[in-house]
Amino acid sequence: MTTAAQQAAAAAIDTEIFANLFRAIVNEMSWIIQRSAHTTFVKETMDFGTALVTPEGEQFAVNDSTGVNALVGTPMAPGIEAFTDWAPGDVAITNDPYTTDGMVTHLNDIFFLKPLFVDGELLCFVWAFIHCSDIGGNVPGSIDGNNREVFQEGLRIKSTKLYRAGVLNQDMVDVIASNCRSPEMNWGDLGATISGLNRGEERLRQLIARYDVETVRGAMYRMLDRAEALTREVLKGIPPGSYEFVEYIEDSYVSAVPIRAMLRLTSRGDGSVELDLTGSDPQVACSFNMPTGGQKHHPMLSVAIMNLVVTLSEAPIFNAGILRCIDLVLPSHSFVNASFPAACGMRVLTTLRVHDMTLGALAAAIPGRVPAGGAGQLAVISVSTADFAGKTRVVAANAVAGGAGGGLGLDGLSGADYPTSALRNIPVEVLEAEAPVLAHRYTLLTDSEGAGRHRGGFGVEYAFEITDGRARVVVRGKDRYRFCAWGVGGGKAAIPSFSRVRQADGTEVDVGKQSVYQPEPGDLLIVGGGGGGGYGNPMERDPDRVRGDILDGLVSPERAREQYGVALAADGEIDREATAALREKSGATGDARSTTPAGNGPMEVDFGPGRSQWQADWQETYAIIAEWCGKFPPNGRRLAQERAYLRAVKRLSPAPARRDVLNLLEQIEEEWA
């Protein structure tokens, strides 16, 4: 007779076995898509994903070795419930955020669902998505920060059956092909995805034959329950209470007015948390909007908590069970919960800001357990060319991120930010073979890190030349040009991002956040991602590690002395006496400029000179106007906010008194009346 403990151990082993079997299936699906895809953005950057999904719409297994994993737990119910006539051989596709209640979040992501029936009964769904390099729209690659409506961003596909009972819907293929710039390449990616889905179905049937359908069905739900239980154990480590933080996207491309995100993170003490984004700005007339459909659970706004859980969990977990413990409160008609027809192509910037904002709140709740802010941009570069027959091709020419924040006892990653680190860079050899691009430089930027006991990662500089005068370049996703990655706990802010064009005569022009370029012959486009913020007092950094960064060319000797209090002798060794004197002179406190309390805890945040100066001059005015604009109808709030803020900056002195701001708002109301 087995004891209860033996039964529990056997059940745990059984669960672990199935966790690995399911993981093997989704990872094999991913490998097939990657190896069979046609576009660089899928086969090299790896912007795709695979999963197995319950009939209720929860992902119980998600790829974790290849492709994007930021969509873990995406709510699939809207795509499943779009049909009541699912049948064997069906494959449904969609890319529409608004008819799927935020299941999809921008038009370039095409989602696929294929049902698996056993003896006439639905067991589960096989799922995949690919980032389509071009889905039509206003610019090559479809996404531009200046897009004001989703109609400018390309073809919208409501949930439609691409295959019905195994028969291809050629009409749907023709619609997609006639509304994008690279139809053959896109169909190659679609075909690769179908192959991945078919392999997933094949492997699941083999699993059912090896065990039985009820055993597999039970294992599906145990995967979710296991992930939920492990998640609760991690989140119980966050002390009960509420912790607040504010972040900004520094402008909306079409307006110089910042976009504010507000967070109240509440730990309930039972292993669950609530992320309340009430107070975040209204949806905006640019492509930063996040169409979450008001979902209570959504991965794009929960990335930081999910990363915390996966990092600290005692066992590997990677499915929707994590999201069961992360509740969202999302204000309607806001840029974190946008309504049709808001543009949403660059919603990844919103994900990055909410990620860092969550880190800021966690820094107050669990000091030392989370890193500082990251570079916070993802500047995706696309090159559009046409051959002499007029056939167009859109090629991704890299995604320039930046450095990640330091913390957790480690320096930040260089050239990669944590929320987007699954995306790979495109090898120069591949890019130059597929596009009229000549890469001049792809390097880490010296002195770009946020200094700290654990320094931030270094930013990157990517310089390239277009060798075809007919080509157009689109660079979307730029940000943190003024409000750079912040440091925490005595750590320093990093340098901001940048974008320049070096003309043939050597003249450099700062092009800021301009998205679309028609380069002249000899022009060199230079796109830079800022560094990550530092964690802890840089004067406490191990001098040997500082020396290593100097010898690697990542930190200059001058910066080493100024920020870290480290001096090298003529032979390249550490001058211990001079180093001790520098650190004693600093008082071992470093430069405490621009520090602000983080949430409710003792941590301090260095926001850097750009944001710190803006906060001193205009943050209070901004908050007054944001509250005032709530009296307007939802679709008019952001317009009222922008006009009032720009009027205030023009007419009032920096840091105006509250009564002066209110008087100005009264005047504006009278004019508008």
Side-chain angles (χ1 to χ4, degrees), residues 24 50 73 82 94 121 162 216 232 282 341 366 369 481 493 589 632 652:
T50 57
T94 181
E121 184 178 0
L162 182 64
V216 173
R232 288 188 182 278
I366 47 174
R369 305 297 297 277
Y481 278 47
T589 60
F632 293 91
L652 302 178

Side-chain angles (χ1 to χ4, degrees), residues 70-75 297-304 306 323 328 351:
L71 300 185
V72 175
T74 295
H297 309 290
H298 201 288
M300 297 292 281
L301 299 178
S302 308
V303 175
M306 291 194 297
L323 284 185
L328 298 173
T351 294

Side-chain angles (χ1 to χ4, degrees), residues 631-652:
K631 65 176 63 178
F632 293 91
N635 289 338
R637 287 172 187 163
R638 180 62 185 183
L639 180 61
Q641 183 186 41
E642 289 182 349
R643 289 184 176 180
Y645 175 82
L646 293 173
R647 182 83 68 88
V649 171
K650 184 177 181 180
R651 293 193 177 183
L652 302 178

